[in-house]
Amino acid sequence: MTTSQTPPYHFFQGNSPLLISIPHVGTDLPPEVADGLSDAAQPLPDTDWHLTRLYDFAGALGASVLGARYSRFTIDLNRPPDDKPLYATATTGLYPDVLFDGTPAFRPGATPSVERRAWYLSEIWRPYHEKIGDELKRIRQRFGHAVLFDAHSIRGHIPRLFEGELPDFNIGTNEGKSADSGLAAKLAQVCDSPGYRHVVNGRFKGGYITRHYGDPANGIHAIQLELAQRTYMREALPFDYIEGQAAKVRPILKRFVETLLQWSPRRL
């Protein structure tokens, strides 16, 4: 469990206007969550696997990087604290009780108690968001603006959540409300690479982090990228990182991050 010496996240502070948040990469589980998960959920199938590895160049470029320690099956850091749904279509909540495909995440009667879930909110969710807020404040004070990149990945085919096959790069700016449209256009150009498909504000327009922190009028621009996992890993068990696939997509992701680093509202 977390202590004052062990925050519920990993953090590296950079020296640029960019903060990268990776809220679904965590795999730690409190004992009561680990003991209660269903057989289908035990392998943690809805995790954003290997994203820390995929973006391991970001710190050297100057970005600050914040990553979750705890699994989204404990608490989802990209959902609002009141658990208000973000999409009218099928989704999962602050305390996911089902997998993306609708399979129960916990054995009958084994979901964590209300008291334990309140603890997760207080000791896991809130510290993560306090860190985002503090770092964005520090960055904006130093550079005059801040860019928040919320990095995600997902299986490319989940009929419960969306029809057909998801594009490779899914950029979200909450329909243009969370980031400058010119920045979104530059990022779309980066993703317009041979052999890949992209979309801006398609099925995934940005979750709570993008929507809550994105405030272009006050110098904070937030972008979400939902990356199809087929571009770098095996989407089924054992969820292996595929070096050959990753080597193809990483240069595009590096240009994506470099674009975020180099962009400034003063250059419009």
Side-chain angles (χ1 to χ4, degrees), residues 19-256:
L19 169 62
I20 301 177
S21 161
I22 315 178
H24 292 154
V25 74
T27 56
D28 287 2
L29 300 167
E32 64 275 8
V33 175
D35 292 343
L37 288 177
S38 66
D39 289 344
Q42 286 286 345
L44 308 182
D46 297 337
T47 301
D48 289 2
W49 292 105
H50 310 298
L51 283 195
T52 302
R53 179 177 179 181
L54 197 65
Y55 289 98
D56 64 6
F57 53 79
L61 294 177
S64 295
V65 183
L66 176 66
R69 289 182 184 271
Y70 281 86
S71 167
R72 69 190 303 166
F73 291 113
T74 304
I75 189 167
D76 192 329
L77 301 173
N78 200 30
R79 298 293 183 270
D82 62 3
D83 205 13
K84 184 178 179 179
L86 296 173
Y87 293 97
T89 52
T91 185
T92 54
L94 180 65
Y95 306 105
D97 288 323
V98 297
L99 307 184
F100 286 162
D101 64 6
T103 303
F106 289 89
R107 292 181 288 102
T111 56
S113 67
V114 172
E115 292 76 16
R116 290 306 296 159
R117 285 182 162 176
W119 191 94
Y120 308 154
L121 181 65
S122 173
E123 302 301 321
I124 299 174
W125 192 98
R126 293 198 185 282
Y128 191 90
H129 284 269
E130 288 169 359
K131 193 64 179 179
I132 292 179
D134 290 346
E135 185 64 3
L136 289 176
K137 180 180 179 180
R138 181 194 71 81
I139 289 173
R140 186 172 57 174
Q141 287 177 342
R142 179 176 175 185
F143 296 98
H145 76 282
V147 178
L148 173 61
F149 170 35
D150 206 41
H152 295 262
S153 71
I154 193 169
R155 298 194 307 278
H157 181 67
I158 307 177
R160 178 175 173 269
L161 299 187
F162 50 83
E163 295 182 1
E165 187 175 72
L166 201 66
D168 303 288
F169 301 101
N170 300 267
I171 301 168
T173 63
N174 192 23
E175 298 288 8
K177 299 182 183 72
S178 71
D180 181 83
S181 60
L183 175 57
K186 288 180 179 293
L187 296 171
Q189 289 177 351
V190 171
C191 296
D192 187 17
S193 299
Y196 295 98
R197 294 182 297 125
H198 73 280
V199 67
V200 178
N201 292 313
R203 169 59 178 85
F204 295 99
K205 307 177 191 302
Y208 175 75
I209 290 173
T210 303
R211 302 182 195 198
H212 179 72
Y213 294 101
D215 187 5
N218 287 301
I220 299 177
H221 299 260
I223 298 94
Q224 176 178 294
L225 177 64
E226 195 78 63
L227 179 68
Q229 290 181 336
R230 63 176 177 270
T231 61
Y232 72 95
M233 63 169 277
R234 192 180 311 280
E235 294 189 341
L237 281 170
F239 306 127
D240 294 333
Y241 186 88
I242 303 176
E243 189 64 51
Q245 291 294 97
K248 296 176 184 177
V249 77
R250 271 168 53 92
I252 302 172
L253 296 175
K254 187 176 181 181
R255 291 197 297 272
F256 192 98

